[in-house]
């Protein structure tokens, strides 16, 4: 027989096996990249949560100080605030216990006591069974239902608090559900189910199903961060309501306003410092220092506290705007920076010195760019991309190499952007550039490849199989399919556009070119006449793919 009618050679099979082995190794590398990105995201969320916790403690102190000065007026607000604090800590610590249970389920030897800080090393980041065993009732877990119940009860409790009522002093007044504050809080604590391929997945199971352990921990950390964020916003509104209740000049409080409490290294921190209630006849003098504790105080015989400047501190005086607000700008090194001082003004009851203090943190820039499906962009596909630039606003993401990038999500992935490289493009790599606040903050280069070549099947049989003639007659077409489960994208479509049938008559081999993927009647007739054990061969197979036209391996089989 001629060489064109032979089955796949052992050498060809070996090359195919080596290719599959290589792609499997490539997929393993992708998994590690994604897991490391989850670790970075989780660390950033935990740092943000810690910043919220610091902020809330200062707000509780403001409420406590006011209640100490005028208990009859502010005791009820103080009581509600600390009851709220207990509930926030209860659900925050409950989520922490779930994280510890997931870690211990994955590795009983792990030290999960420090789960909220960097000393806890996640040994099995890619474990996909530990979290479902704790939270998915189908896997024997019960904490998923508990977590949802906690969240729903907590949300109902929060949205009935006085800060959401039309009359803050009347506990029986209506809830202002139309306010942006109410809607923002309702969304932050929502537990919506999600739809995946037409199936409803409960909110709590969306945290664990098909998710590596480190991904579940990151989602639980985000939930903790949402709770601390809501706690801070509710307390800020309480303090705002508190200030609105007290309009006496003798009890004004110095306030610090800033757009962000964390700035990147080299960036300028800006804060506005002013008196809580404005008096158009008063122009205060605002003194500021970075020497802790920022001011001194003495208790007078009548029990009042008198504030004064520190003897060993140097104070600057801030310029005032038309509203009586002083603006302070400072560039600090990486780390925590505190500042404070006194606001002086003359009132109808004498000279007043109002203390204030605050702090901000300077952090190094942190930008993460990751392709959430694979560390390669495939031509003609929607490649999901995730970009995180902590501490920045106004993020802009662009792509080189003729690729387009749009905001959006690909079903099954959590990426915030979609990168598309045109089919047939000659581009071999694409660089993703990220800029924020008017400057470049990071970039990442990804290789560009065509989608993998498919294999050819007839009636479900592959090349090299023993194929019944009835199977060919029952399904007279060449199908192109992607073999194996390593490719991360689903539902990739291939179509055979042409092929060549090798026909042998009395020892003479001829070829017949066919357009499309259907085996015509004359070829079927020729195959039906062949004896069992005879071979059948299709070569020169061309297919269409998302990346453009491709050549596919031939199909050779023995009839039975």
């Amino acid at each position: 027989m001629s060489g064109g009618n032979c089955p796949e050679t052992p050498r060809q099979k070996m090359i195919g096996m080596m290719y599959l082995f290589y792609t499997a190794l490539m997929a393993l590398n992708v998994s590690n990249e994604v897991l490391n990105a989850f670790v970075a995201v989780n660390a950033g969320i935990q740092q943000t949560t810690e910043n919220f916790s610091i902020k809330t403690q200062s707000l509780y102190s403001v409420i406590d100080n006011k209640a100490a000065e005028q208990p009859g007026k502010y005791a009820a607000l103080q009581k509600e605030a600390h009851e709220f604090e207990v509930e926030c800590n209860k659900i925050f610590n409950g989520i922490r216990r779930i994280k510890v249970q997931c870690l211990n389920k994955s590795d009983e030897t792990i030290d999960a006591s420090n789960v909220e800080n960097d000393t806890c090393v996640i040994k099995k980041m890619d474990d996909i069974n530990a979290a479902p065993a704790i939270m998915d009732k189908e896997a024997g877990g019960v904490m998923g239902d508990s977590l949802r119940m906690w969240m729903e009860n907590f949300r109902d409790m929060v949205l009935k608090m006085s800060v959401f009522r039309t009359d803050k002093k009347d506990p029986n007044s209506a809830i202002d559900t139309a306010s942006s504050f109410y809607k923002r809080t309702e969304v932050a604590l929502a537990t919506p189910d999600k739809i995946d391929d037409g199936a409803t997945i409960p909110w709590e199971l969306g945290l664990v199903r098909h998710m590596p352990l480190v991904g579940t921990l990151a989602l639980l950390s985000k939930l903790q961060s949402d709770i601390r964020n809501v706690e801070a916003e509710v307390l800020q509104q309480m303090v705002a309501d508190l200030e609105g209740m007290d309009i006496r000049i003798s009890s004004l409080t110095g306030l610090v306003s800033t757009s962000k409490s964390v700035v990147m290294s080299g960036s300028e921190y800006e804060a506005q410092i002013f008196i809580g209630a404005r008096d158009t006849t008063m122009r205060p003098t605002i003194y500021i220092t970075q020497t802790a504790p920022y001011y001194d105080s003495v208790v007078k015989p009548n029990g009042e506290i008198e504030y004064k400047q520190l003897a060993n501190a140097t104070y600057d005086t801030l310029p005032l705007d038309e509203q009586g607000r002083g603006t302070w700008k400072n560039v600090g090194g990486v780390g925590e920076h505190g500042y404070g001082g006194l606001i002086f003004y003359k009132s109808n009851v004498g000279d007043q010195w109002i203390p204030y203090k605050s702090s901000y943190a300077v952090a190094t820039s942190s930008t993460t760019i990751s392709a959430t499906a694979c560390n390669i962009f495939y031509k003609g596909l929607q490649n999901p991309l995730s970009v995180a630039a902590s501490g920045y606003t106004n993020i802009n993401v662009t792509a080189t190499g003729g690729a387009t990038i749009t905001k959006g999500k690909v079903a099954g992935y959590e990426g915030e952007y979609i990168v598309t490289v045109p089919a047939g493009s000659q581009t071999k790599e694409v660089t993703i550039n990220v800029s924020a606040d008017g400057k470049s903050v990071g970039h990442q280069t990804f290789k560009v490849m065509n989608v993998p070549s498919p294999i050819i099947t007839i009636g479900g049989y592959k090349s090299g199989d023993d194929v019944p003639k009835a199977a060919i007659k029952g399904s007279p077409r060449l199908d192109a399919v992607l073999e194996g489960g390593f490719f991360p994208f689903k539902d990739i479509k291939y179509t055979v556009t042409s092929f060549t049938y090798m026909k042998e008559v009395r020892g003479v081999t001829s070829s017949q070119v066919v357009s499309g993927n259907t085996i015509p009647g004359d070829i079927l007739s020729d195959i039906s006449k062949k004896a069992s054990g005879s071979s059948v061969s299709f070569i020169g197979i061309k297919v269409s793919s998302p990346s453009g036209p491709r050549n596919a391996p031939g199909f050779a089989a023995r009839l039975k």
Side-chain angles (χ1 to χ4, degrees), residues 478-523:
L478 276 64
D479 294 318
V481 297
L482 190 60
E483 187 177 33
F486 67 88
F487 196 59
F489 292 89
K490 299 177 181 179
D491 301 324
I492 302 300
K493 303 296 184 183
Y494 299 86
T495 302
V496 174
T497 57
S498 67
F499 61 89
T500 299
Y501 174 67
M502 303 304 297
K503 182 177 182 181
E504 183 179 358
V505 179
R506 298 185 182 89
V508 178
T509 300
S510 61
S511 62
Q512 179 178 344
V513 178
V514 178
S515 295
N517 69 338
T518 301
I519 302 173
D522 59 332
I523 295 179

Side-chain angles (χ1 to χ4, degrees), residues 138 148 192-203 205-206 209:
E138 292 186 8
R148 183 169 192 147
D193 297 334
K194 68 177 184 178
I195 305 299
D196 188 6
D197 291 335
T200 300
I201 300 178
W203 167 82
L205 300 186
R209 283 190 178 172

Side-chain angles (χ1 to χ4, degrees), residues 309-320:
Q309 294 181 348
L310 290 171
N312 61 341
T314 299
Y315 291 86
D316 293 323
T317 303
L318 300 183
L320 305 180

Side-chain angles (χ1 to χ4, degrees), residues 52-68 74 77-90 154 157-158 161 227-236 238-239 242:
F52 280 135
S53 297
I54 295 172
K55 182 177 182 179
T56 56
Q57 291 309 307
S58 66
L59 294 170
Y60 284 120
S61 297
V62 171
I63 296 173
D64 289 340
N65 291 338
K66 279 294 183 182
Y74 300 119
L77 183 66
Q78 181 190 36
K79 180 176 181 292
E80 184 182 34
H82 285 292
E83 288 175 348
F84 176 53
E85 180 183 22
V86 170
E87 293 302 318
C88 289
N89 290 339
K90 185 185 299 182
F154 180 74
M157 183 274 295
V158 171
M161 294 179 67
I227 290 166
R228 289 304 188 206
N229 183 26
V230 167
E231 183 181 19
E233 288 207 346
V234 168
L235 289 173
Q236 281 182 319
M238 281 186 169
V239 170
L242 179 150

Side-chain angles (χ1 to χ4, degrees), residues 334-355:
V334 175
E336 189 80 15
H337 298 272
Y339 62 94
L342 295 163
I343 303 174
F344 171 78
Y345 72 98
K346 291 182 177 293
S347 74
N348 58 345
V349 293
D351 294 348
Q352 301 292 318
W353 292 86
I354 300 175

Side-chain angles (χ1 to χ4, degrees), residues 95 98-99 147 207 216-224:
I95 296 171
I98 292 176
K99 293 166 74 173
L147 178 59
L207 303 174
T216 293
L217 294 178
L219 292 175
L220 291 174
S221 293
K222 178 187 178 299
L223 195 55
Q224 289 178 304

